[in-house]
Amino acid sequence: MTATDPALTALAQSWCALSLLHGRIEAHIERALQAKHDLSAREYSLLDVLSRQHDGDGGHLQMKQVADAVVLSQSATTRLVTRLEDRGLLERYLCPTDRRGIYTNVTEAGLKLLEEARPTNDAALREALDEAAKSPELAPLVHVVETLKAPVPG
């Protein structure tokens, strides 16, 4: 295959469309969350991921797992956790069975903000998808997103 191979060109165009859809959705959600809740999309995502932890086996996430879930580097995730901890939305504590491990929990204030922000996030996602569906190059991707059955964490 060469760089001008039609299959590679089509693949690159598809990737660009997917990237465009993601960017539009993220920007729309970001604006809505910032305006109504003073939260970034990444902060919302982090609160959401951490709120799903539980006390059973494997219920608490290590920082690497959290970083993977919010699609950030470990150092960026640590900075994000610190910012939210400074705002009183998260708290860190030592793992009771391994003193080297540090876990992060969402505080009551964080849970309250997350619940207030969830409808904003969901509405912004719906609005962004509806707008993208009007674009012929993005409509098929919107359809896939709307019909995809993602695995339920737990």
Side-chain angles (χ1 to χ4, degrees):
M1 282 193 200
T2 66
T4 57
D5 185 302
L8 285 178
T9 301
L11 187 60
Q13 289 172 338
S14 296
W15 170 243
C16 285
L18 182 58
S19 182
L20 177 63
L21 178 62
H22 176 268
R24 285 185 182 181
I25 291 170
E26 191 169 53
H28 193 78
I29 290 172
E30 181 81 22
R31 285 189 300 271
L33 288 172
Q34 281 289 348
K36 293 184 179 178
H37 307 284
D38 193 29
L39 268 181
S40 72
R42 296 281 186 186
E43 290 168 339
Y44 174 88
S45 179
L46 180 65
L47 289 171
D48 185 53
V49 165
L50 291 174
S51 74
R52 297 174 192 278
Q53 296 182 119
H54 56 84
D55 288 332
D57 288 341
H60 286 276
L61 302 173
Q62 297 173 344
M63 284 305 269
K64 182 183 180 341
Q65 294 169 303
V66 174
D68 290 345
V70 296
V71 194
L72 288 173
S73 68
Q74 279 188 266
S75 61
T77 302
T78 299
R79 288 190 301 272
L80 185 58
V81 165
T82 299
R83 275 199 318 268
L84 292 178
E85 188 178 33
D86 290 346
R87 289 176 60 186
L89 303 175
L90 296 178
E91 59 190 359
R92 292 184 232 205
Y93 65 96
L94 291 175
C95 172
T97 59
D98 178 2
R99 303 300 277 177
R100 296 170 295 172
I102 298 175
Y103 291 132
T104 306
N105 269 341
V106 182
T107 63
E108 286 301 317
L111 289 172
K112 182 176 184 285
L113 180 58
L114 178 63
E115 289 310 308
E116 291 170 356
R118 193 176 308 279
T120 301
N121 180 79
D122 294 348
L125 173 59
R126 179 74 266 153
E127 291 165 5
L129 287 170
D130 289 347
E131 187 60 32
K134 297 174 186 175
S135 169
E137 69 271 10
L138 298 179
L141 293 173
V142 171
H143 177 72
V144 169
V145 169
E146 291 174 333
T147 59
L148 184 66
K149 299 293 181 207
V152 177

PDB file of all heavy atoms in Angstrom, residues 86-125:
ATOM      1  N   ASP A  86      -8.623  19.975  46.123  1.00  0.00           N
ATOM      2  CA  ASP A  86      -8.533  21.352  46.640  1.00  0.00           C
ATOM      3  C   ASP A  86      -9.904  22.025  46.694  1.00  0.00           C
ATOM      4  O   ASP A  86     -10.132  22.899  47.529  1.00  0.00           O
ATOM      5  CB  ASP A  86      -7.573  22.188  45.794  1.00  0.00           C
ATOM      6  CG  ASP A  86      -6.118  21.783  45.954  1.00  0.00           C
ATOM      7  OD1 ASP A  86      -5.791  21.031  46.898  1.00  0.00           O
ATOM      8  OD2 ASP A  86      -5.295  22.213  45.105  1.00  0.00           O
ATOM      9  N   ARG A  87     -10.799  21.626  45.804  1.00  0.00           N
ATOM     10  CA  ARG A  87     -12.163  22.174  45.787  1.00  0.00           C
ATOM     11  C   ARG A  87     -13.091  21.431  46.747  1.00  0.00           C
ATOM     12  O   ARG A  87     -14.278  21.764  46.846  1.00  0.00           O
ATOM     13  CB  ARG A  87     -12.738  22.101  44.373  1.00  0.00           C
ATOM     14  CG  ARG A  87     -12.085  23.076  43.417  1.00  0.00           C
ATOM     15  CD  ARG A  87     -12.598  22.926  41.998  1.00  0.00           C
ATOM     16  NE  ARG A  87     -14.039  23.150  41.878  1.00  0.00           N
ATOM     17  CZ  ARG A  87     -14.714  22.950  40.757  1.00  0.00           C
ATOM     18  NH1 ARG A  87     -14.094  22.541  39.658  1.00  0.00           N
ATOM     19  NH2 ARG A  87     -16.019  23.166  40.715  1.00  0.00           N
ATOM     20  N   GLY A  88     -12.571  20.403  47.428  1.00  0.00           N
ATOM     21  CA  GLY A  88     -13.383  19.645  48.372  1.00  0.00           C
ATOM     22  C   GLY A  88     -14.290  18.616  47.719  1.00  0.00           C
ATOM     23  O   GLY A  88     -15.223  18.109  48.363  1.00  0.00           O
ATOM     24  N   LEU A  89     -14.027  18.266  46.466  1.00  0.00           N
ATOM     25  CA  LEU A  89     -14.877  17.325  45.743  1.00  0.00           C
ATOM     26  C   LEU A  89     -14.364  15.888  45.803  1.00  0.00           C
ATOM     27  O   LEU A  89     -15.116  14.944  45.562  1.00  0.00           O
ATOM     28  CB  LEU A  89     -15.024  17.772  44.281  1.00  0.00           C
ATOM     29  CG  LEU A  89     -15.576  19.191  44.092  1.00  0.00           C
ATOM     30  CD1 LEU A  89     -15.560  19.590  42.630  1.00  0.00           C
ATOM     31  CD2 LEU A  89     -16.972  19.315  44.690  1.00  0.00           C
ATOM     32  N   LEU A  90     -13.078  15.733  46.098  1.00  0.00           N
ATOM     33  CA  LEU A  90     -12.450  14.416  46.227  1.00  0.00           C
ATOM     34  C   LEU A  90     -11.625  14.388  47.497  1.00  0.00           C
ATOM     35  O   LEU A  90     -11.219  15.427  48.015  1.00  0.00           O
ATOM     36  CB  LEU A  90     -11.511  14.129  45.040  1.00  0.00           C
ATOM     37  CG  LEU A  90     -12.102  14.030  43.653  1.00  0.00           C
ATOM     38  CD1 LEU A  90     -10.992  13.793  42.624  1.00  0.00           C
ATOM     39  CD2 LEU A  90     -13.140  12.933  43.572  1.00  0.00           C
ATOM     40  N   GLU A  91     -11.347  13.171  47.974  1.00  0.00           N
ATOM     41  CA  GLU A  91     -10.425  12.994  49.093  1.00  0.00           C
ATOM     42  C   GLU A  91      -9.604  11.736  48.844  1.00  0.00           C
ATOM     43  O   GLU A  91     -10.087  10.766  48.275  1.00  0.00           O
ATOM     44  CB  GLU A  91     -11.181  12.889  50.419  1.00  0.00           C
ATOM     45  CG  GLU A  91     -12.163  11.740  50.480  1.00  0.00           C
ATOM     46  CD  GLU A  91     -13.069  11.776  51.690  1.00  0.00           C
ATOM     47  OE1 GLU A  91     -12.939  12.688  52.512  1.00  0.00           O
ATOM     48  OE2 GLU A  91     -13.917  10.876  51.797  1.00  0.00           O
ATOM     49  N   ARG A  92      -8.341  11.795  49.241  1.00  0.00           N
ATOM     50  CA  ARG A  92      -7.451  10.639  49.086  1.00  0.00           C
ATOM     51  C   ARG A  92      -7.251   9.983  50.443  1.00  0.00           C
ATOM     52  O   ARG A  92      -7.307  10.647  51.479  1.00  0.00           O
ATOM     53  CB  ARG A  92      -6.089  11.077  48.556  1.00  0.00           C
ATOM     54  CG  ARG A  92      -6.142  11.573  47.142  1.00  0.00           C
ATOM     55  CD  ARG A  92      -4.747  11.885  46.670  1.00  0.00           C
ATOM     56  NE  ARG A  92      -4.739  13.235  46.130  1.00  0.00           N
ATOM     57  CZ  ARG A  92      -3.876  13.671  45.242  1.00  0.00           C
ATOM     58  NH1 ARG A  92      -2.919  12.894  44.812  1.00  0.00           N
ATOM     59  NH2 ARG A  92      -3.938  14.891  44.800  1.00  0.00           N
ATOM     60  N   TYR A  93      -6.989   8.673  50.410  1.00  0.00           N
ATOM     61  CA  TYR A  93      -6.683   7.952  51.640  1.00  0.00           C
ATOM     62  C   TYR A  93      -5.800   6.758  51.312  1.00  0.00           C
ATOM     63  O   TYR A  93      -5.764   6.287  50.170  1.00  0.00           O
ATOM     64  CB  TYR A  93      -7.962   7.516  52.363  1.00  0.00           C
ATOM     65  CG  TYR A  93      -8.780   6.499  51.601  1.00  0.00           C
ATOM     66  CD1 TYR A  93      -8.642   5.135  51.862  1.00  0.00           C
ATOM     67  CD2 TYR A  93      -9.684   6.891  50.626  1.00  0.00           C
ATOM     68  CE1 TYR A  93      -9.379   4.204  51.162  1.00  0.00           C
ATOM     69  CE2 TYR A  93     -10.425   5.970  49.929  1.00  0.00           C
ATOM     70  CZ  TYR A  93     -10.270   4.616  50.198  1.00  0.00           C
ATOM     71  OH  TYR A  93     -10.995   3.694  49.507  1.00  0.00           O
ATOM     72  N   LEU A  94      -5.085   6.274  52.321  1.00  0.00           N
ATOM     73  CA  LEU A  94      -4.203   5.123  52.132  1.00  0.00           C
ATOM     74  C   LEU A  94      -5.021   3.840  52.096  1.00  0.00           C
ATOM     75  O   LEU A  94      -5.984   3.681  52.860  1.00  0.00           O
ATOM     76  CB  LEU A  94      -3.180   5.038  53.266  1.00  0.00           C
ATOM     77  CG  LEU A  94      -2.114   6.122  53.288  1.00  0.00           C
ATOM     78  CD1 LEU A  94      -1.243   5.973  54.533  1.00  0.00           C
ATOM     79  CD2 LEU A  94      -1.247   6.053  52.047  1.00  0.00           C
ATOM     80  N   CYS A  95      -4.606   2.948  51.240  1.00  0.00           N
ATOM     81  CA  CYS A  95      -5.221   1.624  51.171  1.00  0.00           C
ATOM     82  C   CYS A  95      -4.985   0.921  52.508  1.00  0.00           C
ATOM     83  O   CYS A  95      -3.850   0.861  52.978  1.00  0.00           O
ATOM     84  CB  CYS A  95      -4.600   0.834  50.027  1.00  0.00           C
ATOM     85  SG  CYS A  95      -5.119  -0.892  49.990  1.00  0.00           S
ATOM     86  N   PRO A  96      -6.023   0.386  53.133  1.00  0.00           N
ATOM     87  CA  PRO A  96      -5.848  -0.233  54.445  1.00  0.00           C
ATOM     88  C   PRO A  96      -4.997  -1.507  54.415  1.00  0.00           C
ATOM     89  O   PRO A  96      -4.393  -1.873  55.426  1.00  0.00           O
ATOM     90  CB  PRO A  96      -7.279  -0.538  54.900  1.00  0.00           C
ATOM     91  CG  PRO A  96      -8.137  -0.406  53.713  1.00  0.00           C
ATOM     92  CD  PRO A  96      -7.409   0.419  52.703  1.00  0.00           C
ATOM     93  N   THR A  97      -4.907  -2.180  53.285  1.00  0.00           N
ATOM     94  CA  THR A  97      -4.138  -3.424  53.211  1.00  0.00           C
ATOM     95  C   THR A  97      -2.759  -3.247  52.602  1.00  0.00           C
ATOM     96  O   THR A  97      -1.918  -4.125  52.709  1.00  0.00           O
ATOM     97  CB  THR A  97      -4.911  -4.482  52.398  1.00  0.00           C
ATOM     98  OG1 THR A  97      -5.165  -3.972  51.082  1.00  0.00           O
ATOM     99  CG2 THR A  97      -6.218  -4.839  53.087  1.00  0.00           C
ATOM    100  N   ASP A  98      -2.524  -2.124  51.931  1.00  0.00           N
ATOM    101  CA  ASP A  98      -1.217  -1.860  51.315  1.00  0.00           C
ATOM    102  C   ASP A  98      -0.930  -0.379  51.495  1.00  0.00           C
ATOM    103  O   ASP A  98      -1.415   0.449  50.722  1.00  0.00           O
ATOM    104  CB  ASP A  98      -1.232  -2.237  49.832  1.00  0.00           C
ATOM    105  CG  ASP A  98       0.075  -1.933  49.128  1.00  0.00           C
ATOM    106  OD1 ASP A  98       1.025  -1.455  49.779  1.00  0.00           O
ATOM    107  OD2 ASP A  98       0.155  -2.173  47.904  1.00  0.00           O
ATOM    108  N   ARG A  99      -0.133  -0.039  52.488  1.00  0.00           N
ATOM    109  CA  ARG A  99       0.097   1.364  52.839  1.00  0.00           C
ATOM    110  C   ARG A  99       0.755   2.159  51.717  1.00  0.00           C
ATOM    111  O   ARG A  99       0.859   3.369  51.791  1.00  0.00           O
ATOM    112  CB  ARG A  99       0.942   1.459  54.118  1.00  0.00           C
ATOM    113  CG  ARG A  99       0.340   0.742  55.318  1.00  0.00           C
ATOM    114  CD  ARG A  99      -0.987   1.270  55.699  1.00  0.00           C
ATOM    115  NE  ARG A  99      -0.875   2.448  56.533  1.00  0.00           N
ATOM    116  CZ  ARG A  99      -1.893   3.141  56.963  1.00  0.00           C
ATOM    117  NH1 ARG A  99      -3.109   2.783  56.648  1.00  0.00           N
ATOM    118  NH2 ARG A  99      -1.721   4.198  57.704  1.00  0.00           N
ATOM    119  N   ARG A 100       1.222   1.481  50.673  1.00  0.00           N
ATOM    120  CA  ARG A 100       1.803   2.202  49.535  1.00  0.00           C
ATOM    121  C   ARG A 100       0.719   2.679  48.575  1.00  0.00           C
ATOM    122  O   ARG A 100       0.937   3.574  47.774  1.00  0.00           O
ATOM    123  CB  ARG A 100       2.794   1.321  48.777  1.00  0.00           C
ATOM    124  CG  ARG A 100       4.007   0.931  49.601  1.00  0.00           C
ATOM    125  CD  ARG A 100       4.794  -0.122  48.886  1.00  0.00           C
ATOM    126  NE  ARG A 100       3.951  -1.331  48.801  1.00  0.00           N
ATOM    127  CZ  ARG A 100       4.236  -2.410  48.110  1.00  0.00           C
ATOM    128  NH1 ARG A 100       5.329  -2.476  47.403  1.00  0.00           N
ATOM    129  NH2 ARG A 100       3.428  -3.443  48.095  1.00  0.00           N
ATOM    130  N   GLY A 101      -0.445   2.038  48.646  1.00  0.00           N
ATOM    131  CA  GLY A 101      -1.533   2.377  47.724  1.00  0.00           C
ATOM    132  C   GLY A 101      -2.342   3.557  48.209  1.00  0.00           C
ATOM    133  O   GLY A 101      -2.639   3.677  49.401  1.00  0.00           O
ATOM    134  N   ILE A 102      -2.686   4.424  47.299  1.00  0.00           N
ATOM    135  CA  ILE A 102      -3.519   5.586  47.625  1.00  0.00           C
ATOM    136  C   ILE A 102      -4.770   5.514  46.764  1.00  0.00           C
ATOM    137  O   ILE A 102      -4.697   5.333  45.540  1.00  0.00           O
ATOM    138  CB  ILE A 102      -2.774   6.910  47.371  1.00  0.00           C
ATOM    139  CG1 ILE A 102      -1.549   7.001  48.268  1.00  0.00           C
ATOM    140  CG2 ILE A 102      -3.704   8.099  47.602  1.00  0.00           C
ATOM    141  CD1 ILE A 102      -0.685   8.215  48.012  1.00  0.00           C
ATOM    142  N   TYR A 103      -5.907   5.633  47.426  1.00  0.00           N
ATOM    143  CA  TYR A 103      -7.178   5.637  46.724  1.00  0.00           C
ATOM    144  C   TYR A 103      -7.802   7.023  46.799  1.00  0.00           C
ATOM    145  O   TYR A 103      -7.445   7.833  47.658  1.00  0.00           O
ATOM    146  CB  TYR A 103      -8.144   4.620  47.340  1.00  0.00           C
ATOM    147  CG  TYR A 103      -7.749   3.178  47.121  1.00  0.00           C
ATOM    148  CD1 TYR A 103      -7.751   2.280  48.167  1.00  0.00           C
ATOM    149  CD2 TYR A 103      -7.395   2.713  45.860  1.00  0.00           C
ATOM    150  CE1 TYR A 103      -7.410   0.947  47.977  1.00  0.00           C
ATOM    151  CE2 TYR A 103      -7.048   1.392  45.658  1.00  0.00           C
ATOM    152  CZ  TYR A 103      -7.056   0.517  46.715  1.00  0.00           C
ATOM    153  OH  TYR A 103      -6.722  -0.789  46.521  1.00  0.00           O
ATOM    154  N   THR A 104      -8.761   7.254  45.932  1.00  0.00           N
ATOM    155  CA  THR A 104      -9.462   8.532  45.891  1.00  0.00           C
ATOM    156  C   THR A 104     -10.958   8.271  45.916  1.00  0.00           C
ATOM    157  O   THR A 104     -11.456   7.427  45.162  1.00  0.00           O
ATOM    158  CB  THR A 104      -9.092   9.304  44.604  1.00  0.00           C
ATOM    159  OG1 THR A 104      -7.685   9.424  44.526  1.00  0.00           O
ATOM    160  CG2 THR A 104      -9.716  10.678  44.599  1.00  0.00           C
ATOM    161  N   ASN A 105     -11.657   8.970  46.769  1.00  0.00           N
ATOM    162  CA  ASN A 105     -13.114   8.877  46.851  1.00  0.00           C
ATOM    163  C   ASN A 105     -13.738  10.228  46.554  1.00  0.00           C
ATOM    164  O   ASN A 105     -13.138  11.266  46.813  1.00  0.00           O
ATOM    165  CB  ASN A 105     -13.556   8.449  48.259  1.00  0.00           C
ATOM    166  CG  ASN A 105     -13.673   6.960  48.401  1.00  0.00           C
ATOM    167  OD1 ASN A 105     -13.765   6.233  47.423  1.00  0.00           O
ATOM    168  ND2 ASN A 105     -13.654   6.506  49.639  1.00  0.00           N
ATOM    169  N   VAL A 106     -14.955  10.187  46.067  1.00  0.00           N
ATOM    170  CA  VAL A 106     -15.731  11.404  45.848  1.00  0.00           C
ATOM    171  C   VAL A 106     -16.373  11.780  47.183  1.00  0.00           C
ATOM    172  O   VAL A 106     -16.954  10.939  47.858  1.00  0.00           O
ATOM    173  CB  VAL A 106     -16.810  11.189  44.769  1.00  0.00           C
ATOM    174  CG1 VAL A 106     -17.582  12.472  44.514  1.00  0.00           C
ATOM    175  CG2 VAL A 106     -16.191  10.668  43.474  1.00  0.00           C
ATOM    176  N   THR A 107     -16.250  13.041  47.562  1.00  0.00           N
ATOM    177  CA  THR A 107     -16.860  13.522  48.801  1.00  0.00           C
ATOM    178  C   THR A 107     -18.361  13.722  48.595  1.00  0.00           C
ATOM    179  O   THR A 107     -18.870  13.657  47.465  1.00  0.00           O
ATOM    180  CB  THR A 107     -16.241  14.860  49.236  1.00  0.00           C
ATOM    181  OG1 THR A 107     -16.531  15.829  48.219  1.00  0.00           O
ATOM    182  CG2 THR A 107     -14.735  14.751  49.448  1.00  0.00           C
ATOM    183  N   GLU A 108     -19.065  14.000  49.696  1.00  0.00           N
ATOM    184  CA  GLU A 108     -20.505  14.295  49.586  1.00  0.00           C
ATOM    185  C   GLU A 108     -20.735  15.500  48.666  1.00  0.00           C
ATOM    186  O   GLU A 108     -21.655  15.500  47.851  1.00  0.00           O
ATOM    187  CB  GLU A 108     -21.106  14.539  50.966  1.00  0.00           C
ATOM    188  CG  GLU A 108     -21.272  13.278  51.791  1.00  0.00           C
ATOM    189  CD  GLU A 108     -22.168  12.239  51.124  1.00  0.00           C
ATOM    190  OE1 GLU A 108     -23.227  12.603  50.572  1.00  0.00           O
ATOM    191  OE2 GLU A 108     -21.790  11.049  51.155  1.00  0.00           O
ATOM    192  N   ALA A 109     -19.871  16.520  48.793  1.00  0.00           N
ATOM    193  CA  ALA A 109     -20.002  17.706  47.930  1.00  0.00           C
ATOM    194  C   ALA A 109     -19.765  17.324  46.468  1.00  0.00           C
ATOM    195  O   ALA A 109     -20.449  17.832  45.568  1.00  0.00           O
ATOM    196  CB  ALA A 109     -19.009  18.783  48.360  1.00  0.00           C
ATOM    197  N   GLY A 110     -18.821  16.425  46.227  1.00  0.00           N
ATOM    198  CA  GLY A 110     -18.547  15.964  44.861  1.00  0.00           C
ATOM    199  C   GLY A 110     -19.710  15.179  44.285  1.00  0.00           C
ATOM    200  O   GLY A 110     -20.067  15.349  43.116  1.00  0.00           O
ATOM    201  N   LEU A 111     -20.302  14.321  45.102  1.00  0.00           N
ATOM    202  CA  LEU A 111     -21.458  13.541  44.652  1.00  0.00           C
ATOM    203  C   LEU A 111     -22.644  14.456  44.344  1.00  0.00           C
ATOM    204  O   LEU A 111     -23.358  14.242  43.362  1.00  0.00           O
ATOM    205  CB  LEU A 111     -21.856  12.504  45.708  1.00  0.00           C
ATOM    206  CG  LEU A 111     -20.891  11.335  45.886  1.00  0.00           C
ATOM    207  CD1 LEU A 111     -21.286  10.494  47.090  1.00  0.00           C
ATOM    208  CD2 LEU A 111     -20.823  10.487  44.626  1.00  0.00           C
ATOM    209  N   LYS A 112     -22.831  15.475  45.182  1.00  0.00           N
ATOM    210  CA  LYS A 112     -23.930  16.429  44.961  1.00  0.00           C
ATOM    211  C   LYS A 112     -23.721  17.177  43.644  1.00  0.00           C
ATOM    212  O   LYS A 112     -24.647  17.300  42.833  1.00  0.00           O
ATOM    213  CB  LYS A 112     -24.005  17.410  46.131  1.00  0.00           C
ATOM    214  CG  LYS A 112     -25.136  18.413  46.042  1.00  0.00           C
ATOM    215  CD  LYS A 112     -25.189  19.277  47.309  1.00  0.00           C
ATOM    216  CE  LYS A 112     -26.358  20.221  47.310  1.00  0.00           C
ATOM    217  NZ  LYS A 112     -26.201  21.360  46.433  1.00  0.00           N
ATOM    218  N   LEU A 113     -22.498  17.661  43.413  1.00  0.00           N
ATOM    219  CA  LEU A 113     -22.204  18.375  42.171  1.00  0.00           C
ATOM    220  C   LEU A 113     -22.362  17.463  40.961  1.00  0.00           C
ATOM    221  O   LEU A 113     -22.912  17.863  39.931  1.00  0.00           O
ATOM    222  CB  LEU A 113     -20.791  18.967  42.220  1.00  0.00           C
ATOM    223  CG  LEU A 113     -20.351  19.751  40.984  1.00  0.00           C
ATOM    224  CD1 LEU A 113     -21.296  20.925  40.696  1.00  0.00           C
ATOM    225  CD2 LEU A 113     -18.919  20.243  41.165  1.00  0.00           C
ATOM    226  N   LEU A 114     -21.906  16.219  41.088  1.00  0.00           N
ATOM    227  CA  LEU A 114     -22.033  15.263  39.986  1.00  0.00           C
ATOM    228  C   LEU A 114     -23.505  15.038  39.636  1.00  0.00           C
ATOM    229  O   LEU A 114     -23.871  15.045  38.459  1.00  0.00           O
ATOM    230  CB  LEU A 114     -21.360  13.939  40.367  1.00  0.00           C
ATOM    231  CG  LEU A 114     -21.454  12.813  39.346  1.00  0.00           C
ATOM    232  CD1 LEU A 114     -20.744  13.191  38.043  1.00  0.00           C
ATOM    233  CD2 LEU A 114     -20.859  11.526  39.925  1.00  0.00           C
ATOM    234  N   GLU A 115     -24.332  14.857  40.639  1.00  0.00           N
ATOM    235  CA  GLU A 115     -25.764  14.632  40.383  1.00  0.00           C
ATOM    236  C   GLU A 115     -26.422  15.866  39.770  1.00  0.00           C
ATOM    237  O   GLU A 115     -27.306  15.744  38.920  1.00  0.00           O
ATOM    238  CB  GLU A 115     -26.483  14.192  41.657  1.00  0.00           C
ATOM    239  CG  GLU A 115     -26.118  12.785  42.075  1.00  0.00           C
ATOM    240  CD  GLU A 115     -26.228  11.751  40.947  1.00  0.00           C
ATOM    241  OE1 GLU A 115     -27.283  11.668  40.288  1.00  0.00           O
ATOM    242  OE2 GLU A 115     -25.225  11.044  40.701  1.00  0.00           O
ATOM    243  N   GLU A 116     -25.977  17.055  40.192  1.00  0.00           N
ATOM    244  CA  GLU A 116     -26.512  18.291  39.599  1.00  0.00           C
ATOM    245  C   GLU A 116     -26.059  18.430  38.146  1.00  0.00           C
ATOM    246  O   GLU A 116     -26.799  18.944  37.308  1.00  0.00           O
ATOM    247  CB  GLU A 116     -26.049  19.503  40.406  1.00  0.00           C
ATOM    248  CG  GLU A 116     -26.668  19.601  41.778  1.00  0.00           C
ATOM    249  CD  GLU A 116     -26.002  20.667  42.654  1.00  0.00           C
ATOM    250  OE1 GLU A 116     -25.008  21.294  42.231  1.00  0.00           O
ATOM    251  OE2 GLU A 116     -26.481  20.850  43.791  1.00  0.00           O
ATOM    252  N   ALA A 117     -24.829  18.003  37.864  1.00  0.00           N
ATOM    253  CA  ALA A 117     -24.245  18.179  36.527  1.00  0.00           C
ATOM    254  C   ALA A 117     -24.655  17.087  35.542  1.00  0.00           C
ATOM    255  O   ALA A 117     -24.590  17.302  34.329  1.00  0.00           O
ATOM    256  CB  ALA A 117     -22.716  18.231  36.644  1.00  0.00           C
ATOM    257  N   ARG A 118     -25.071  15.927  36.041  1.00  0.00           N
ATOM    258  CA  ARG A 118     -25.397  14.805  35.140  1.00  0.00           C
ATOM    259  C   ARG A 118     -26.456  15.171  34.091  1.00  0.00           C
ATOM    260  O   ARG A 118     -26.272  14.896  32.905  1.00  0.00           O
ATOM    261  CB  ARG A 118     -25.804  13.574  35.943  1.00  0.00           C
ATOM    262  CG  ARG A 118     -25.854  12.304  35.106  1.00  0.00           C
ATOM    263  CD  ARG A 118     -26.172  11.063  35.930  1.00  0.00           C
ATOM    264  NE  ARG A 118     -25.344  10.870  37.099  1.00  0.00           N
ATOM    265  CZ  ARG A 118     -24.122  10.347  37.099  1.00  0.00           C
ATOM    266  NH1 ARG A 118     -23.559   9.984  35.960  1.00  0.00           N
ATOM    267  NH2 ARG A 118     -23.446  10.198  38.229  1.00  0.00           N
ATOM    268  N   PRO A 119     -27.565  15.807  34.464  1.00  0.00           N
ATOM    269  CA  PRO A 119     -28.546  16.174  33.433  1.00  0.00           C
ATOM    270  C   PRO A 119     -27.969  17.151  32.388  1.00  0.00           C
ATOM    271  O   PRO A 119     -28.311  17.074  31.206  1.00  0.00           O
ATOM    272  CB  PRO A 119     -29.692  16.824  34.216  1.00  0.00           C
ATOM    273  CG  PRO A 119     -29.539  16.319  35.604  1.00  0.00           C
ATOM    274  CD  PRO A 119     -28.070  16.100  35.809  1.00  0.00           C
ATOM    275  N   THR A 120     -27.101  18.054  32.815  1.00  0.00           N
ATOM    276  CA  THR A 120     -26.456  18.989  31.887  1.00  0.00           C
ATOM    277  C   THR A 120     -25.580  18.225  30.920  1.00  0.00           C
ATOM    278  O   THR A 120     -25.614  18.469  29.699  1.00  0.00           O
ATOM    279  CB  THR A 120     -25.609  20.020  32.666  1.00  0.00           C
ATOM    280  OG1 THR A 120     -26.451  20.723  33.572  1.00  0.00           O
ATOM    281  CG2 THR A 120     -24.920  20.996  31.720  1.00  0.00           C
ATOM    282  N   ASN A 121     -24.785  17.302  31.430  1.00  0.00           N
ATOM    283  CA  ASN A 121     -23.913  16.482  30.587  1.00  0.00           C
ATOM    284  C   ASN A 121     -24.742  15.685  29.583  1.00  0.00           C
ATOM    285  O   ASN A 121     -24.439  15.678  28.384  1.00  0.00           O
ATOM    286  CB  ASN A 121     -23.088  15.530  31.460  1.00  0.00           C
ATOM    287  CG  ASN A 121     -22.168  14.655  30.645  1.00  0.00           C
ATOM    288  OD1 ASN A 121     -21.098  15.084  30.216  1.00  0.00           O
ATOM    289  ND2 ASN A 121     -22.568  13.420  30.424  1.00  0.00           N
ATOM    290  N   ASP A 122     -25.788  15.039  30.069  1.00  0.00           N
ATOM    291  CA  ASP A 122     -26.612  14.201  29.202  1.00  0.00           C
ATOM    292  C   ASP A 122     -27.321  15.023  28.128  1.00  0.00           C
ATOM    293  O   ASP A 122     -27.385  14.614  26.962  1.00  0.00           O
ATOM    294  CB  ASP A 122     -27.633  13.418  30.033  1.00  0.00           C
ATOM    295  CG  ASP A 122     -26.973  12.404  30.964  1.00  0.00           C
ATOM    296  OD1 ASP A 122     -25.757  12.145  30.821  1.00  0.00           O
ATOM    297  OD2 ASP A 122     -27.685  11.887  31.854  1.00  0.00           O
ATOM    298  N   ALA A 123     -27.837  16.181  28.507  1.00  0.00           N
ATOM    299  CA  ALA A 123     -28.519  17.045  27.536  1.00  0.00           C
ATOM    300  C   ALA A 123     -27.531  17.579  26.499  1.00  0.00           C
ATOM    301  O   ALA A 123     -27.841  17.621  25.298  1.00  0.00           O
ATOM    302  CB  ALA A 123     -29.211  18.205  28.255  1.00  0.00           C
ATOM    303  N   ALA A 124     -26.334  17.972  26.943  1.00  0.00           N
ATOM    304  CA  ALA A 124     -25.323  18.477  26.008  1.00  0.00           C
ATOM    305  C   ALA A 124     -24.879  17.383  25.041  1.00  0.00           C
ATOM    306  O   ALA A 124     -24.671  17.645  23.850  1.00  0.00           O
ATOM    307  CB  ALA A 124     -24.129  19.040  26.770  1.00  0.00           C
ATOM    308  N   LEU A 125     -24.753  16.166  25.540  1.00  0.00           N
ATOM    309  CA  LEU A 125     -24.404  15.043  24.657  1.00  0.00           C
ATOM    310  C   LEU A 125     -25.487  14.841  23.609  1.00  0.00           C
ATOM    311  O   LEU A 125     -25.197  14.717  22.419  1.00  0.00           O
ATOM    312  CB  LEU A 125     -24.216  13.769  25.489  1.00  0.00           C
ATOM    313  CG  LEU A 125     -24.005  12.476  24.709  1.00  0.00           C
ATOM    314  CD1 LEU A 125     -22.784  12.558  23.809  1.00  0.00           C
ATOM    315  CD2 LEU A 125     -23.909  11.299  25.667  1.00  0.00           C
TER     316      LEU A 125
END
